[in-house]
Amino acid sequence: MKYVPDATADRQFEQDKTVDRDGVDGLLSELDEYAVEQALQLKEKAESPEDVKVIALTVAPEAGVDAVRKALQMGADSGVHVADEAIAGSDAIATSLVLAKAIEKIGDVDLVMCGMASTDGSMSVVPAMLAERLDLPQVTLASVIETQGDQVRVKRDGDVATEVIGATMPLVMSVTDQTGEARYPSFKGIMAAKKKPLETYTLSDLGVDAGDVGLSVAWTEVQDTTARPPRSAGEIVTDEDGSGASALVDFLASKKFI
Amino acid sequence: MTEVLVLIDHADGEVKKPTYELLTLARRLGEPSAVFIGAGSQGAAAAEKVAKYGAEKVYVVDDADIKGYLVAPKAEALQQLVEKSSPAAVLIPSTFEGKEVAGRLAIKIGSGLITDAVDVQADDGGDGTPVTTQSVFAGNYTVTAKVTTGTPIITVKPNSATPEEAAGAGTVEEFAATVSDSAKKAQIVASQPRKASGRPELTEAAIVVAGGRGTGGKFEPVEGLADALGGAVGASRAAVDSGWIPHSFQIGQTGKTVSPQLYVAGGISGAIQHRAGMQTSKTIVAVNKDDEAPIFELVDFGVVGDLHTVFPAAAEKVNERKG
């Protein structure tokens, strides 16, 4: 799961051209809530749910523990927060490295569930990178998920076709917002979350060299960030007795679209 | 001149327009070599097409061993081609699949990755490495960036460049990729191609007419105006969530990203997630009953009115003008 700046707020960049994560409230990426929801549903549908453990994992600065707490409140069994100052400014490549090491440390993971994209960077590549690093099958962009033992089948809307994908666990999955609304934490869930185990890992706990992560070693470099100049106000007319359609068509003709 | 690998976007051998855009951008960086992963029998026809846009070489990777699996084998094939040709860059279409291939490739070859570029230039002051332009935070920022490690891997959004023809040799070179068993662990069990609508494909269309909550479930006015203008039909998440139109029409963060010459929004309020999918459209027009809908902040032209009357009347007038 990713802790992201609230997309409805006015997001900006810092001097070092990383995303300003202080000026804007952070929260659990909305698209990752769907992943938490699906993990919880798989647990609930399992033959013996008590044997299924849902672990919420995030790599985030200190405040990012809120994202883990939210998942615990929704019903996850335990949480892991990887926090280390050296991670700041990491790109997807380094983030996927830290996540992969954390998953290896947790060990014996059958299913790595991810959102389809973050709501800030929106790259949509971390699930694929995780699958590559962990040498696991990747089943991405699931909209309907079915499991039977260690067999997984998902339905998804691919770029050009609707597909059914089959794979055997362990695997990495990403889910879309088509999987169904994520639940809200109940009061009971919020109270219960306070007692759930929440571990914090640092890079040394994971055996990751601090020199392999962070802004200074990112494999990409932002050259420049420019705020878009405010759009010059467009012309807005109010439709009266068909005048709206005429004005619209005149506008389209003036721009040579007709 | 150094090669630049361009992954051909195609459906059953039919080369798609974003491929020509990628080839046009690739020529700024080096000598374009197109990569066709598909039925070997379709490779020659595809090669002829991409040669017209400057592909000097066309690597044809027969997919007999790749078809039926998700992206991992494609990433392996590209890895082997990168090792063979030491390209200046790898350009891949910014579809969901393209981005996943790029993500895996980046880890495999230890290279930096930039996704969703809307422009690529050779750094003229420096060593000619690609400098990309991206539009981020729902279009509120423009970011330029560079890959600093390895072979730059860049995924480019459709409609980011105007395809320019240039004669290339288009020499076909068959390339036998070795696909590991481990890459074949996610199988496509069934696949139902999307029904052809007769309209242009959403992500490639020059004109898109989209409907939202304000359609109330009636998409005929949206389709009528789209057809009059020769455009594609799209929808907001609200319309998709209401079950009025399939998810494949959805524009926005969790749907498709469009960047057409003209975007017409009917009954769409303009939530941030929707903006993320259409804000780079060149000209934006909206029709909405609510004069305070945030979409009006983006428009070049807006009509405060009911799309159910404005769209059909506009479609009729467009058809009249076309004679």
Side-chain angles (χ1 to χ4, degrees), chain A residues 34 122 132 135 138 140 157 159-160 162 164 166 177 218-219 221 223-224 226 228 231 235 237 239 250, chain B residues 97 100 104 108 140 142 144 146 148 182 187 189-190 192 194 237 247 254 279 298 300 302 304 321:
Chain A
Y34 294 92
S122 309
E132 182 67 37
D135 193 23
Q138 72 174 86
T140 46
D157 282 324
D159 289 311
V160 292
T162 301
V164 178
D177 58 350
W219 293 358
E221 184 181 280
Q223 310 275 294
D224 201 17
T226 321
R228 193 191 53 190
R231 258 187 124 93
E235 188 189 349
V237 301
D239 179 46
D250 288 342
Chain B
E97 178 179 296
E100 289 177 7
R104 294 193 83 121
K108 279 180 191 294
N140 286 329
T142 301
T144 55
K146 243 180 173 178
T148 51
S182 142
Q187 257 186 312
V189 181
Q192 179 131 42
R194 203 149 291 128
R237 182 169 162 191
H247 180 240
T254 59
Q279 199 151 8
L298 305 181
D300 298 287
V304 179
R321 289 204 189 206

Side-chain angles (χ1 to χ4, degrees), chain A residues 83-155:
Chain A
D84 198 307
E85 276 180 17
I87 298 172
S90 289
D91 55 3
I93 305 259
T95 304
S96 68
L97 171 70
V98 177
L99 282 170
K101 293 289 181 190
I103 291 163
E104 280 167 3
K105 184 174 167 70
I106 292 165
D108 200 22
V109 172
D110 292 312
L111 184 60
V112 179
M113 198 76 131
C114 312
M116 64 183 289
S118 65
T119 55
D120 54 351
S122 309
M123 288 180 78
S124 230
V125 296
V126 166
M129 287 180 170
L130 268 181
E132 182 67 37
R133 289 193 183 275
L134 297 166
D135 193 23
L136 291 178
Q138 72 174 86
V139 179
T140 46
L141 304 173
S143 57
V144 181
I145 303 157
E146 282 170 19
T147 58
Q148 195 162 37
D150 62 354
Q151 298 299 305
V152 177
R153 280 199 171 211
V154 310
K155 200 176 129 199

